[in-house]
Amino acid sequence: MVAGSGTAHDLQVKESSSELPLWTRDFRLFFAARTTSLLGDAMLPVAITAAVIRAGYGASGVGYALAALVAPFAALIIFGGVLSDRFGAQRLMVVSDTARLCFQAVLALLFLMGTPQLWQILVLLALVGAGSALFQPGVASITPRIAQDVLKANATLRISESVTAVIGPSLAGLLLVVSSPATVVALDALTYAVSGTCLLLLRSVPMGPAARDGASSFRADLVEGWREFRTRTWLWSVIVVFMLWQLAGAGPAMTLGNSTLVTDYGASTFGLVMSSLGAGSVVGGIVAIRLRPRYPLRAGALSMPLWALMPLGVALGLPAPLIAGCYGVSGVGMAFWIVMFHTSVQTHVPQAVLGRVHAYDAAGSLVMKPVGQAVAGPLTAVAGTAPLLCLSASMALVACALLLAIPAVRGLQRVQR
């Protein structure tokens, strides 16, 4: 009798969750802010690459510019998490959008006026990257405040991210045909204005921080965030596994897979494959909305073997359409895992420390990726491209097995929020 009641209750909860309204006024505004901002983020590397090459700084200059954009983000996101919880996610995100609008507008102006010095480009891009580090923790903090159905909200935002990742570079390429790189950089800067305006109009999110007991120092907040992170075994275990995956799996797969596709199949095939990956990610977000597993991290881990198809298809030298299919299926698994993990973090971590905890997990997830990307090239000269891609594929299976072997990970249940 008790079991029957529990089953009926679970079904009732599932039905009520699926009927919760998602597209409220505040979620529409937040969705518009994120979509616009993500579109700009996807356009920026293409615009910067074209602008730096046109300025005469060559491939090395492009490498320095892209590193200047990414490195401050990885280095400062933990501090961004502390500031987000101290001063309020909405306030910090609006400040970040305003600052990035100004920095990128100056960069566009420099390109319009002539050829800026390389150091000027690097400094301004580093400031844009630092602004992104202040912005990102707020995404995790605001989502559960504006959405009653957090899983559906995360899946919807993931779909938006996948679509913009495909459309953004293509749109930037088209704009470069009819205008200058400086114009594209300026248009990208305007996306921050749209994002900041939408965030400023949110009503259900307080402009200030969440309520907290007494005053605390910046260092105390940093330590508290770390304590909240490390006391959740399921959370730090996932990050440790992902550090290994980024080092030996995702990092080499991205570097070697992308370079092999361009050199052996051509730029058009590379574009097709990336579009297929984005389309698969959209499907993965839709699947996450429909399934709603009771054990989200367990279900997410079971989707990880799909990731192996991405490097494996390239390693086997399959025809381009089959490689595109492999990337599409991998995109389904990637998006499904991301939705399951982000929803788990946002529903199991208290709102007052969510920005800091998200910053720690984001930093841990990212820290080994550039290392894996950097060592992939030298290792190729020793072991060869195909064997390394096969190793990357096998790491997806290893990561899946490790996650399922951790009781705290496979036993974490979905929270109805």
Side-chain angles (χ1 to χ4, degrees), residues 212-233:
R212 49 172 60 203
D213 299 327
S216 62
S217 66
F218 187 94
R219 181 180 180 279
D221 284 351
L222 198 65
V223 172
E224 183 185 15
W226 171 251
R227 183 171 61 249
E228 292 286 345
F229 174 79
R230 67 178 177 82
T231 54
R232 290 170 170 79
T233 303

Side-chain angles (χ1 to χ4, degrees), residues 209-406:
R212 49 172 60 203
D213 299 327
S216 62
S217 66
F218 187 94
R219 181 180 180 279
D221 284 351
L222 198 65
V223 172
E224 183 185 15
W226 171 251
R227 183 171 61 249
E228 292 286 345
F229 174 79
R230 67 178 177 82
T231 54
R232 290 170 170 79
T233 303
W234 63 269
L235 181 54
W236 64 257
S237 297
V238 167
I239 300 306
V240 170
V241 171
F242 262 71
M243 290 174 69
L244 175 63
W245 158 246
Q246 295 281 22
L247 177 65
M254 179 174 293
T255 299
L256 301 179
N258 291 359
S259 60
T260 301
L261 284 170
V262 173
T263 56
D264 294 356
Y265 293 86
S268 60
T269 296
F270 178 67
L272 169 67
V273 168
M274 290 297 104
S275 297
S276 179
L277 179 65
S281 298
V282 172
V283 174
I286 296 173
V287 171
I289 293 175
R290 301 294 298 174
L291 284 186
R292 298 178 172 275
R294 183 179 180 184
Y295 299 97
L297 296 184
R298 183 188 303 180
L302 290 173
S303 73
M304 289 188 66
L306 298 179
W307 298 14
L309 295 176
M310 189 162 55
L312 194 60
V314 179
L316 295 176
L318 298 178
L322 290 181
I323 291 179
C326 289
Y327 270 67
V329 174
S330 294
V332 175
M334 291 168 63
F336 186 79
W337 163 262
I338 289 172
V339 172
M340 294 299 109
F341 177 68
H342 284 178
T343 302
S344 297
V345 172
Q346 292 167 8
T347 55
H348 282 84
V349 177
Q351 184 69 49
V353 295
L354 184 53
R356 281 166 283 174
V357 172
H358 172 67
Y360 275 110
D361 82 59
S365 299
L366 289 172
V367 68
M368 298 308 295
K369 186 173 184 177
V371 178
Q373 291 174 319
V375 302
L379 287 177
T380 302
V382 178
T385 300
L388 285 178
L389 286 172
C390 289
L391 174 63
S392 296
S394 68
M395 288 307 301
L397 304 179
V398 172
C400 172
L402 289 175
L403 290 173
L404 293 177
I406 302 170

Side-chain angles (χ1 to χ4, degrees), residues 16-17 19-22 24 27 143-153 292 347 415-417:
S16 61
S17 295
E19 294 172 358
L20 290 174
L22 176 65
T24 60
F27 185 79
T143 301
R145 287 186 171 185
I146 61 171
Q148 298 180 67
D149 190 334
V150 180
L151 187 148
K152 185 184 290 186
R292 298 178 172 275
T347 55
V415 173
Q416 301 298 335
R417 277 180 61 185

